Amino acid sequence: AGRRSGTWTHGYAMMHTAISSPATMAAGRRGGTWSNGYAVVKTATSSSAGVLPELLMRIWPEDFQSVSSARRACRRAIIIVDGSVGRNGREVGIGAQVYLLARVSTPSPTGGRRGLPPASVDPLEVVFADGSFAVVYKPAGMPTAGGDGSRTTMRQLLATSMSCDGAPEGEAPLWRPQHVHRLDAGTSGLLVVAKTRGALTGLSAAFAQRSVRKTYRAVVAGDPAPGAAAGEASALHRVELPLSGQDAVTDWRLVSRHATTRWGCVSVVECFPHTGRTHQIRRHLAALGTPIVGDAKYWLPALDEHRGTRLFLCAVGLRLPHPTTGEMLDIACDQPPEFAAYCAAAGGAGSAAGGVVRASDAAETASAGVDTRAGSEGPK
């Protein structure tokens, strides 16, 4: 009685607490829209008796691969058994009609409780998008989620700027776009966002199984590979340094050097992390003796104070499987313009070859006492 026509957990609602006839429900609601945009997307007849939520794993093993996911579905009131909500612990007999609800439409991104994005925040920059997922550009200084509430997060910006409408047939859209991984607040670049439940599951698995190749650009203080050639196709080096007791591997290449009076030179490096440990790239580059410019947390005491208006680290490339088709996608963005501007300013008028350091200059820098242990293992 207390829930009839009332609001259920997480904003779910039912038109009635019970349906007079399962047949009426199947005919009138299959493909039809329930309140809050939900509809019956799957129907099954129980071939054996059982108890929820375990029974769901036998009926729809592709949808419920764990007891926790099945229990969550019952808790969210999206399981209907013989016309009423199937709660955890309910006994279901042979021949019972079981229905699975899912959201089939989403509210406007600027409507309802989502509201409008803060006027002080730049519009969301979308690099790639289809009905299943999107890749957006996270600006430097914006947390992906959480925080102390003093700054707008990407999670909030996505909720107010992107809709999950247009999901492919058979896919359940999420209530709001959900980031699949995180970038540090100071790091800018590409962020993967799921728009359907299937995409969220598939993309999360791809990251967990290390099927996603990530590319970062960074500006570091000093030269991580004295005497080595620099360029977009230069040799790969590898850092294998455990972090917090876990294995951590990062491949990297030297893109360019730029002379400066502060640290001998600043260098642009391209990094390819094979693992996803906290602050992995920042800690690995600092371990080489060349911390990222603007990184106060991992700056080396032996170096002059760090300079830079931001953390000079950006996620510039992703190679990942499409969550629906499996097709491998290559998505990229340019490094921020302030990277080149900083290197040019650091080089100044006295830099060699227009700001790019010669190999002999780099060797002199190394001999002056800059720690440049590269941990090179050659190309991967």
Side-chain angles (χ1 to χ4, degrees), residues 184 243-244 246 276-281 283 298:
D184 294 341
L243 300 173
S244 303
Q246 296 178 300
R277 310 308 176 202
T278 301
H279 300 168
Q280 176 175 315
I281 294 176
R283 296 162 75 179
Y298 298 107

Side-chain angles (χ1 to χ4, degrees), residues 3-373:
R3 288 300 183 184
R4 185 175 294 118
S5 301
T7 301
W8 294 73
T9 306
H10 299 299
Y12 291 80
M14 289 195 65
M15 300 299 289
H16 307 281
T17 52
I19 306 298
S20 58
S21 165
T24 300
M25 176 182 175
R29 286 299 178 185
R30 185 180 298 118
T33 302
W34 291 70
S35 59
N36 291 329
Y38 285 82
V40 176
V41 293
K42 286 192 174 182
T43 305
T45 300
S46 177
S47 60
S48 62
V51 178
L52 297 179
E54 289 79 2
L55 181 64
L56 296 178
M57 300 174 63
R58 300 204 301 268
I59 296 177
W60 294 305
E62 69 281 4
D63 294 294
F64 302 106
Q65 299 180 14
S66 66
V67 175
S68 60
S69 63
R71 184 180 296 115
R72 185 164 53 248
C74 293
R75 190 169 61 246
R76 291 178 175 176
I78 59 173
I79 302 298
I80 308 298
V81 179
D82 286 340
S84 61
V85 175
R87 297 296 189 185
N88 287 310
R90 176 171 175 174
E91 296 183 359
V92 179
I94 298 175
Q97 297 297 307
V98 185
Y99 305 88
L100 173 63
L101 302 181
R103 183 178 293 281
V104 294
S105 64
T106 58
S108 166
T110 57
R113 63 182 178 85
R114 295 180 174 194
L116 295 171
S120 59
V121 176
D122 291 335
L124 181 68
E125 182 178 345
V126 179
V127 180
F128 169 89
D130 64 11
S132 298
F133 83 109
V135 177
V136 300
Y137 188 90
K138 187 190 87 65
M142 179 179 288
T144 302
D148 58 6
S150 62
R151 292 181 291 177
T152 300
T153 67
M154 280 301 294
R155 179 179 173 85
Q156 293 169 328
L157 184 59
L158 288 166
T160 57
S161 304
M162 179 179 286
S163 170
C164 290
D165 285 338
E169 185 176 356
E171 289 196 44
L174 295 172
W175 166 255
R176 62 179 177 180
Q178 174 65 48
H179 59 87
V180 180
H181 62 119
R182 294 189 181 218
L183 296 176
D184 294 341
T187 304
S188 60
L190 303 177
L191 184 71
V192 180
V193 178
K195 299 167 72 175
T196 69
R197 189 160 300 281
L200 180 59
T201 300
L203 291 168
S204 297
F207 275 92
Q209 297 164 7
R210 301 179 184 176
S211 302
V212 180
R213 180 177 172 85
K214 296 167 281 187
T215 304
Y216 290 77
R217 283 284 180 99
V219 179
V220 301
D223 185 354
E232 300 283 348
S234 61
L236 284 177
H237 306 266
R238 171 166 290 190
V239 179
E240 290 187 280
L241 178 65
L243 300 173
S244 303
Q246 296 178 300
D247 66 303
V249 181
T250 304
D251 286 344
W252 61 275
R253 67 162 50 99
L254 180 63
V255 177
S256 62
R257 302 182 182 92
H258 307 266
T260 174
T261 57
R262 295 187 66 82
W263 310 300
C265 72
V266 294
S267 304
V268 177
V269 295
E270 199 165 58
C271 300
F272 310 93
H274 291 268
T275 49
R277 310 308 176 202
T278 301
H279 300 168
Q280 176 175 315
I281 294 176
R282 297 164 63 182
R283 296 162 75 179
H284 275 177
L285 291 176
L288 297 178
T290 53
I292 299 174
V293 175
D295 192 350
K297 185 174 182 67
Y298 298 107
W299 196 253
L300 301 182
L303 296 176
D304 194 2
E305 65 175 313
H306 64 90
R307 294 290 178 88
T309 57
R310 56 160 291 177
L311 177 68
F312 279 70
L313 178 63
C314 181
V316 297
L318 288 167
R319 179 173 175 79
L320 74 168
H322 191 284
T324 302
T325 66
E327 176 189 2
M328 291 303 296
L329 303 175
D330 289 291
I331 302 171
C333 67
D334 294 331
Q335 70 178 25
E338 55 262 41
F339 281 29
Y342 182 88
C343 292
S351 60
V356 178
V357 182
R358 300 186 302 268
S360 59
D361 297 327
E364 292 173 6
T365 298
S367 64
V370 178
D371 183 1
T372 54
R373 292 169 293 175

